[in-house]
Amino acid sequence: MPIVKFTNAGVAGLNLDVEPNDLAISPAVEWSGGGNVRFNDGYTEKFLGHSAVNGTPGVTPYGIFFTNNAARYEVYTGLTKIYAVTGSTHTDITRALGNYTGTSSDKWNGSTLAGTLILNNGVDDPQFWAGVLATPCAKLTNWPANTKAKVIRTFDNFIIALNITESGTNYPSMVRWSTPADPGTLPASWDYTLATNDSGRVEGVLSSTSDKIVDGLALGNTFMIYKENSTYSMQYVGGTDIFRFAAVSKTSGALGIDCAASFPGGHAVLADGDIVINQGGSTQSIIDRRMRRWLFNNIDSDNRQRSFAVTNLRRNEVWFCFPQLGQTWPDKALIWNYKDNTWGVRDIPNLTHANAGVIAASSSDTWDSRTDTWEEADGVWAVDEYSQATPRVMMASSDGGLFLADISRSFNGSPMTSYIERTGLDFGAPEARKLCKGVRPRFDAAEGTVIRVYVGSQSDLDGAITWSPAVNFTVGTSLKADFFVSGRYLAIKFESVAQGAWRLKTFDMDIEMVGYY
């Protein structure tokens, strides 16, 4: 077998749960390791990075939201204050009543209703902001007294409140909803005692499972309610009931607030011990025997509820952001491409929150606002690859910055190391020793881009991998990378540091059988 061809190197993505020797190499390569790589359209490719935008925030951001009422603003929430930003101008829009009182464990959440932004931290009264800088946030109009909600979401013309505390008593399975709002207004009432009102309150129907409500999200004409280990649907039926409730799953819920994300096929949900899709009638794992064991072996148990999910619609991805062992805030994103059904991983900068929304390009991506170098800047000068109608992922970091994702080839000016590897290669003959004499990769990259190539070897699968020194492969100059590495099991790795974008679709290995045992 002098030349072994590896085709479709980006079709299958990462699989860190199955033993490398049991992974496929045909018809598509399953990779056993990688970092800062995504899988898209049949290619393995280096992730784009992120860059700080909008100048220096007025406070450490713990939530990022968007509004497009009077104008487009990014709104970020601190522990005690709320700011709106456009360009590098940050305006304090904190309520006139004074500072908010939540802690870093009280997640800000919210939605928009007819262009009005509604924000909630579960501790203070829900707030609304109509998008006028001169008018600060205020208590949600007609919100009931002595009432708090863990989560506030919108659904059609209703506002939905979840996990309610009334007069100091918590009702973790309670749902309340407002009357429907007239166009351009906020709901007129939350009084569920009036027979003429469409507002309401229920608890018992969701109490068939003892876990707490953690979040909710619209799915078509249904509102999905996620508890810790169960899922319910809420559907408008009118009449005296207003909404009908039904159990969707009594074994799968959401890990925390913002752990469910909408994508064109339904909801992708980070649950306790799984990642599932919810298409309205049932839930189904999308990570089992691929990345499930790896994820839950690496997530920090003390801070796992700070995890969240966000949809990167432009890239057909859902990012599941989580803190690794020993970390306080999410520093790693496990990324699912829902179009290609592949998994990749990316480093993230200690995020408190991320969200996707439509923003003004001029407010986020100017030459003065960029922290990467001219060589690292991605794209064409004076051309924005995103239309004004395309949601972009904005990230809020506990380090104090606001970052725009998929905008550079570095991590806010710092080099990005990307790599992909496959170990445990026995080429169908585990008893034989193999000699690798060379590797010929085919990269789609700018001429002069350098990728390091490594070949490793093992005598048995339980032993450590001995990696060769790196051989630099220069796109446009190199034909192949020469090696002289032997072992019963071989490994291959491609790595780049502080280099430009690249994509890999196929590669060949020159292999010779040299003996047995």
Side-chain angles (χ1 to χ4, degrees):
M1 55 167 71
I3 302 296
V4 179
K5 294 184 177 294
F6 294 80
T7 58
N8 301 317
V11 171
L14 286 178
N15 187 329
L16 304 186
D17 280 4
V18 175
E19 291 298 323
N21 189 52
D22 294 327
L23 296 176
I25 59 174
S26 179
V29 180
E30 290 185 285
W31 297 96
S32 59
N36 296 319
V37 287
R38 60 173 21 132
F39 302 89
N40 182 44
D41 292 336
Y43 287 90
T44 298
E45 61 184 58
K46 175 184 175 179
F47 258 105
L48 290 172
H50 58 263
S51 185
V53 292
N54 299 120
T56 303
V59 292
T60 299
Y62 285 87
I64 180 75
F65 304 90
F66 304 91
T67 184
N68 188 20
N69 195 341
R72 283 179 179 162
Y73 294 101
E74 295 91 60
V75 175
Y76 59 93
T77 51
L79 296 184
T80 61
K81 293 184 178 295
I82 301 176
Y83 279 79
V85 58
T86 181
S88 58
T89 301
H90 298 252
T91 303
D92 187 345
I93 57 170
T94 302
R95 63 186 180 181
L97 183 64
N99 288 346
Y100 303 103
T101 61
T103 70
S104 61
S105 297
D106 300 311
K107 275 192 175 183
W108 282 96
N109 52 88
S111 298
T112 57
L113 183 67
T116 298
L117 182 61
I118 301 166
L119 296 170
N120 176 64
N121 65 2
V123 177
D124 299 290
D125 289 323
Q127 303 287 291
F128 80 95
W129 188 59
V132 179
L133 291 177
T135 305
C137 296
K139 177 182 175 180
L140 181 61
T141 305
N142 300 315
W143 178 254
N146 301 314
T147 301
K148 301 293 186 288
K150 192 72 172 177
V151 175
I152 294 281
R153 301 296 186 195
T154 57
F155 177 56
D156 290 339
N157 293 327
F158 293 89
I159 299 179
I160 311 295
L162 305 167
N163 193 332
I164 306 299
T165 297
E166 295 180 344
S167 300
T169 301
N170 179 239
Y171 302 93
S173 292
M174 182 179 288
V175 178
R176 292 191 64 165
W177 63 90
S178 67
T179 56
D182 292 330
T185 69
L186 292 170
S189 176
W190 288 79
D191 190 349
Y192 58 88
T193 65
L194 294 178
T196 56
N197 259 359
D198 279 353
S199 60
R201 181 182 77 162
V202 299
E203 182 186 18
V205 68
L206 275 75
S207 296
S208 60
T209 53
S210 61
D211 47 339
K212 300 176 182 179
I213 295 175
V214 295
D215 209 345
L217 190 63
L219 179 58
N221 63 357
T222 302
F223 187 80
M224 289 293 168
I225 299 169
Y226 292 100
K227 302 182 76 177
E228 294 167 314
N229 295 294
S230 56
T231 302
Y232 292 79
S233 64
M234 176 178 177
Q235 192 167 31
Y236 180 77
V237 294
T240 57
D241 291 332
I242 314 299
F243 283 99
R244 177 177 61 215
F245 295 82
V248 174
S249 172
K250 293 190 175 183
T251 58
S252 178
L255 189 60
I257 296 173
D258 288 325
C259 284
S262 294
F263 75 103
H267 290 169
V269 187
L270 174 58
D272 188 3
D274 207 350
I275 295 179
V276 303
I277 56 171
N278 176 9
Q279 296 177 306
S282 62
T283 60
Q284 178 182 352
S285 176
I286 55 173
I287 198 173
D288 194 37
R289 287 189 55 80
R290 297 179 73 184
M291 302 291 287
R292 179 178 177 179
R293 183 177 61 184
W294 174 84
L295 171 61
F296 292 100
N297 282 346
N298 284 278
I299 194 170
D300 186 83
S301 59
D302 292 334
N303 295 294
R304 69 188 189 282
Q305 289 183 322
R306 286 176 167 167
S307 304
F308 59 86
V310 61
T311 303
N312 187 356
L313 194 64
R314 169 101 169 109
R315 303 289 179 177
N316 304 311
E317 294 170 340
V318 179
W319 295 22
F320 299 96
C321 304
F322 67 96
Q324 295 186 98
L325 293 171
Q327 300 299 310
T328 301
W329 296 102
D331 63 332
K332 186 74 74 175
L334 178 58
I335 296 173
W336 178 52
N337 184 308
Y338 51 79
K339 179 183 175 183
D340 296 337
N341 193 23
T342 55
W343 292 93
V345 293
R346 184 195 192 278
D347 296 326
I348 51 178
N350 299 314
L351 299 186
T352 55
H353 189 223
N355 209 344
V358 178
I359 59 178
S362 61
S363 75
S364 62
D365 190 14
T366 63
W367 182 252
D368 287 341
S369 73
R370 296 287 288 269
T371 56
D372 47 353
T373 65
W374 178 274
E375 291 81 2
E376 292 169 336
D378 197 70
V380 180
W381 177 250
V383 174
D384 187 357
E385 67 166 314
Y386 296 86
S387 76
Q388 290 289 300
T390 301
R392 304 174 74 164
V393 174
M394 289 279 291
M395 306 185 293
S397 172
S398 63
D399 298 332
L402 297 172
F403 300 100
L404 189 62
D406 278 337
I407 198 174
S408 74
R409 297 171 184 169
S410 71
F411 287 152
N412 196 35
S414 298
M416 181 202 307
T417 298
S418 300
Y419 79 97
I420 191 71
E421 70 180 32
R422 172 58 195 272
T423 61
L425 294 167
D426 63 18
F427 302 97
E431 72 282 0
R433 295 189 63 83
K434 301 95 182 167
L435 172 67
C436 178
K437 296 186 290 185
V439 176
R440 182 177 180 178
R442 296 170 181 84
F443 287 102
D444 180 7
E447 186 171 339
T449 300
V450 176
I451 292 95
R452 299 170 179 171
V453 185
Y454 302 81
V455 172
S457 65
Q458 292 170 281
S459 294
D460 60 76
L461 291 174
D462 293 328
I465 299 173
T466 301
W467 290 100
S468 69
V471 175
N472 287 339
F473 183 92
T474 304
V475 176
T477 301
S478 302
L479 180 63
K480 62 184 178 70
D482 292 319
F483 292 93
F484 198 84
V485 175
S486 65
R488 292 193 182 92
Y489 299 93
L490 298 181
I492 180 76
K493 178 164 68 174
F494 303 101
E495 178 186 64
S496 67
V497 180
Q499 287 287 333
W502 55 262
R503 300 195 304 171
L504 171 70
K505 193 167 188 177
T506 68
F507 64 96
D508 303 336
M509 295 181 71
D510 187 354
I511 302 296
E512 179 180 336
M513 295 293 182
V514 293
Y516 291 85
Y517 291 101

